[in-house]
Structures are given as structure tokens and as C-alpha cells.
Amino acid sequence: MGRRPGLLALGWLASLVLVAAFAVMLTERWSTPSGGDAGDDRVADAQRTPASEQTGGAASSADAERDAPAVESADTRIVEAPASAGTAGAPTGDGRAESARDGGDDSDETSDRRVAESGEGGAPRIIPADPADGNDEATSSDGGRQGSGDLVNALSREGALGLVETARLSPRPRSQAVVDWCKQLEARVVGVSSPECMSDAYRDTGGRSVEGRPLIMREIAASSGPAAGRVLLISATHGDEPSSIGTVFGWMELMAEEGTRYDWRVAPTLNPDGVFHEPATRLNANGVDLNRNLPTPDWSEKSRAYWRRVGFEKRRYPGEDPGGEPENEWLVEQIRSFRPDVIISLHAPYGVLDYDGDFPAPRKLGQLDLNQLGVYPGSLGNFGARMNSIPVITVELDHARKPPGDAELERMWRDLNGWLDRYFSSVRQARADNAADSNDAG
């Protein structure tokens, strides 16, 4: 049967009419300044203060649209933005939004919780609401939160830009792997609280231990301005040293309270199989000491000679292949991708401060005094400082189970930051001197 040109043309015109009608509906939907129905209009009228009352005169329609309030819902909280010059009735103060929760504490360094500016001149800002605020939420089986009707209404008021920004800022569903990890840590480690741990800050990197446990990481950005440097912080290389984990969590709480000048990447449990073994063990699930297994020069020969020298002690077995354990493969990748300027590794229970690197060593960290022990085949100090020219601070706590008390944690943290400040100041000066020498040579 032949085609009928008339019918085809009629069908084509009908399709164009439908597309145009749909486009008009969408335009009206997103361009309505205060919502799309009478109920939304009543909410806006009840919450809005007329612009004329704020400024003492008649406000333009553009001002009224700009000043329309964002709607607070289970997924968002309204925080006032700082007043701009010449804006009447705008709030004063530094205007920074509430910072993202850091395991239960406020922190302003988490990049995925940054605040969206929804307007100019004192317009409200929207940030994700904390679960602790008591909003009713539906929770999925994997710990993620489902959207609500209030959020939809808020998005219709904010327009297409609000849709994009709110979607970007909405908290990521919590990984079940992170939830389980936090619960297990709370049961085993002094200084770790499961509710504080189960925040959006921690993530499953996809790396896995020998027994398939997740290698969890947290990234903390400098509190304000460009970071002065990058620091990699590691604990529980040996699973029977849980005080190292509690100390790291204590330092992260101090970062949340005081801020930080640096970008941090934190690996609280490098050896989860050792941490969660019954009983906890120094070695990973393959029976390998991870701090003797990193790929250092002449590893095959030197690691065997070292192991022979310590009487083939099982607790110091270096393994069969340099860097061949999955936990160390993951660690080497973190060093490669993050490119830290300094590495800090926590151990126990020798009660000393060790250091490998060219820059002058820290003399003290709280009550711990410097005692440089040297490097071993496959150790982090050897791999980081000798091979990659990254200073490595090894903190040997004096108790394997119990982390230091609050006062000692603060002293250690203050001393550590003092050394970091001196180190990065020296690095900046060296770079400036090199740049000056290059200009003179040119």
C-alpha cells in the first residue's frame, strides 16, 4: 500500500502542536515565582515580608521575586546569607552557613555539603538538613533517604536552577559498608562513636582487604582559602593497635572544632582484617606485616635478611611479593593519586616519636619525645621518605588499646600543627627562593 502524503503531513503538524503545548506547560511551571497552586501561594504570603516594608518604599516586581522565601523541608534548612552593601533589613554577621556535620560535630570543610547561593543581596541560602533535626524521613534499606513532597514544592518555587543546586547538595545515601564499619568500630575501639562516625564524610573507596572488608577513607578540606599543603593520615596498619584509631578520630574532632589549614586524606583502618579479627592481630589475613611489605629497593633480598635477623618471627613476616598485599596496593594508589606533602602514621605501644625525612624533625608530640629508629625493608618510612621524598612522621603511642586523654590529644595536635606550619612555611620560602634564582638567571 502506498504512503498518503496528506495523512503524514497532518500527523507531523499534530506532533508539533503537542510539543509546543508541553513546552508552554513547562515554562509556566518553572517561571511561577511562588509556586504553582493556591496552597503554595498561601505559604508564600504567610512567610513573606513585603519589600516595601523592608525598604520604606515600593518594591519592584523583580525585588519581590528575588525576596520570595525558600521553603524549609526535611531535605533543606534555610540559613540567612550575609547582607550586601545598601540592602536594608538584611542580617549582619559573617553570614557563613552552618557547616556540614563531622561525625556529629560541625565542620565547614566537607565539599559535598557546600551552600548554594539562591539569590543576591541577602537572599536565603539552602543547605542539607541534618538527620538529628528531627524531620520525618523515609529511610531506604541501604541507609539512603527518600525525597518528600515538601522538597518538590521547594524546587518548584526555586525554579530550574534550584532543582540543579538542590540535587547537587542533597546528601549521598550512606553506604551500608560504612554503616557496618562504624558499628563494628564502636564495639571495638575506645573513642569511636557509631552515630558520629556514620556521617556523609566517610566513604567506601572500593578498595578491599584480603577478606573483602572495605577500605574506608575520609577527605577533609582546608577550612578557608587555598590549602597550605596535603597530609595523609593513617592508623591501624597493625590491627592490634586500636588506640591509633581512637587518636585519629580525636584529631578529626579537633579539626571540626578548630578548623585546619591543610587538605587531609584519612585512612582510619588500613588493616581492617587485623582490627576485626578475633582476637585482633598485627598481621593482615594473609599473615603479612603490612609495614614490612611495601615495595622498597632490593626488597626481596633485604626483607628476607631482616626476617632472618629477627628469628623468622611470625609477627614480622614480610610476605612473598613487595607491595603485593591488597591493603598496600591500595595505600600506594592513595599516595600516587593524593600526592601528599607529609605522611603521618600512628602505631603503638613504644611511646616514642619517629621521623624520616630531610626537614628538621619534630622534637615532641605531647609527651612523646623524638627517637629516630631508622627504616626497615618494606616500611612506610622507607617507601615514603627514602623513595619518594615525602617526610613521614611515625607516632608510637604508649598504649595499644586506650588512646590518650583529651588534654594529651590536644597537646599532641597543637605540637603536630606547629611542626606542619614550620614545614610548609619552609617549603613556600624554598619555592620563592628558587623562583627568584630562576628570574635572575633569565
Side-chain angles (χ1 to χ4, degrees):
M1 181 181 295
R3 292 194 179 98
R4 298 182 180 180
L7 288 177
L8 289 175
L10 182 61
W12 181 74
L13 288 174
S15 299
L16 285 180
V17 170
L18 287 174
V19 170
F22 184 66
V24 170
M25 291 171 62
L26 286 179
T27 301
E28 292 179 354
R29 170 71 169 170
W30 295 113
S31 63
T32 304
S34 61
D37 55 31
D40 289 342
D41 290 340
R42 285 194 297 272
V43 172
D45 291 340
Q47 295 181 344
R48 179 182 300 142
T49 300
S52 60
E53 293 180 13
Q54 295 180 11
T55 61
S60 67
S61 59
D63 289 338
E65 180 176 350
R66 183 198 67 202
D67 293 334
V71 172
E72 190 166 12
S73 75
D75 298 81
T76 59
R77 179 186 298 111
I78 299 173
V79 179
E80 294 299 330
S84 61
T87 303
T92 60
D94 65 5
R96 289 183 299 177
E98 293 180 39
S99 52
R101 287 196 309 130
D102 175 18
D105 296 323
D106 288 340
S107 168
D108 55 5
E109 63 264 12
T110 308
S111 60
D112 61 7
R113 307 271 302 213
R114 288 173 297 190
V115 176
E117 299 285 354
S118 61
E120 300 175 349
R125 302 191 290 183
I126 301 177
I127 65 173
D130 291 333
D133 288 344
N135 296 321
D136 292 331
E137 301 172 325
T139 304
S140 62
S141 59
D142 65 352
R145 290 189 290 276
Q146 299 172 357
S148 67
D150 289 340
L151 177 60
V152 174
N153 291 336
L155 292 178
S156 67
R157 267 191 275 288
E158 290 301 308
L161 179 60
L163 174 64
V164 173
E165 281 299 311
T166 307
R168 180 178 66 83
L169 291 169
S170 296
R172 295 171 299 188
R174 296 191 188 109
S175 163
Q176 188 61 43
V178 173
V179 172
D180 294 341
W181 175 77
C182 289
K183 291 178 178 178
Q184 292 170 350
L185 274 187
E186 182 182 37
R188 283 184 171 264
V189 179
V190 176
V192 176
S193 168
S194 180
E196 293 178 357
C197 174
M198 287 190 294
S199 72
D200 298 326
Y202 298 89
R203 68 181 180 89
D204 179 0
T205 64
R208 290 295 181 267
S209 66
V210 172
E211 293 183 342
R213 289 187 173 90
L215 298 174
I216 304 296
M217 184 182 70
R218 179 178 181 184
E219 291 185 303
I220 301 174
S223 304
S224 60
R230 296 180 300 275
V231 185
L232 177 63
L233 179 59
I234 304 165
S235 58
T237 301
H238 297 142
D240 59 355
E241 300 166 0
S243 61
S244 66
I245 305 172
T247 300
V248 163
F249 271 82
W251 284 355
M252 288 191 288
E253 289 181 12
L254 290 172
M255 284 190 224
E257 295 170 3
E258 302 173 4
T260 179
R261 299 180 57 202
Y262 311 107
D263 286 343
W264 296 76
R265 184 170 288 188
V266 185
T269 53
L270 179 62
N271 180 11
D273 293 346
V275 171
F276 300 122
H277 188 269
E278 292 290 353
T281 176
R282 173 186 176 93
L283 311 175
N284 76 348
N286 283 337
V288 173
D289 181 347
L290 296 178
N291 203 34
R292 301 293 185 270
N293 178 255
L294 286 165
T296 54
D298 302 318
W299 180 88
S300 295
E301 176 185 347
K302 291 183 178 180
S303 66
R304 285 299 179 271
Y306 164 80
W307 196 36
R308 185 182 306 110
R309 191 165 62 250
V310 297
F312 299 102
E313 183 183 354
K314 289 184 178 180
R315 284 172 54 83
R316 287 167 174 77
Y317 173 56
E320 296 297 325
D321 300 307
E325 299 306 303
E327 299 88 351
N328 275 345
E329 291 175 349
W330 179 86
L331 175 59
V332 170
E333 172 57 25
Q334 299 308 306
I335 294 173
R336 186 202 64 78
S337 62
F338 184 53
R339 295 181 296 113
D341 300 298
V342 176
I343 299 174
I344 303 169
S345 179
L346 274 71
H347 290 266
Y350 291 106
V352 298
L353 177 64
D354 191 12
Y355 175 78
D356 300 291
D358 295 331
F359 187 76
R363 308 305 302 178
K364 287 181 69 68
L365 220 63
Q367 296 180 354
L368 302 179
D369 293 320
L370 179 67
N371 182 7
Q372 292 178 273
L373 304 174
V375 299
Y376 302 96
S379 70
L380 181 59
N382 194 341
F383 179 80
R386 300 284 178 89
M387 288 188 61
N388 293 286
S389 301
I390 305 171
V392 177
I393 298 175
T394 302
V395 181
E396 279 277 355
L397 303 168
D398 57 9
H399 198 288
R401 298 290 176 186
K402 184 180 178 181
D406 291 343
E408 176 64 6
L409 278 176
E410 291 179 10
R411 281 192 293 268
M412 295 173 69
W413 181 244
R414 184 168 59 248
D415 290 344
L416 177 60
N417 276 276
W419 183 87
L420 289 172
D421 290 344
R422 292 191 298 274
Y423 172 74
F424 284 112
S425 176
S426 174
V427 169
R428 288 192 297 273
Q429 185 61 50
R431 289 172 179 168
D433 292 343
N434 290 337
D437 291 343
S438 298
N439 292 334
D440 293 341

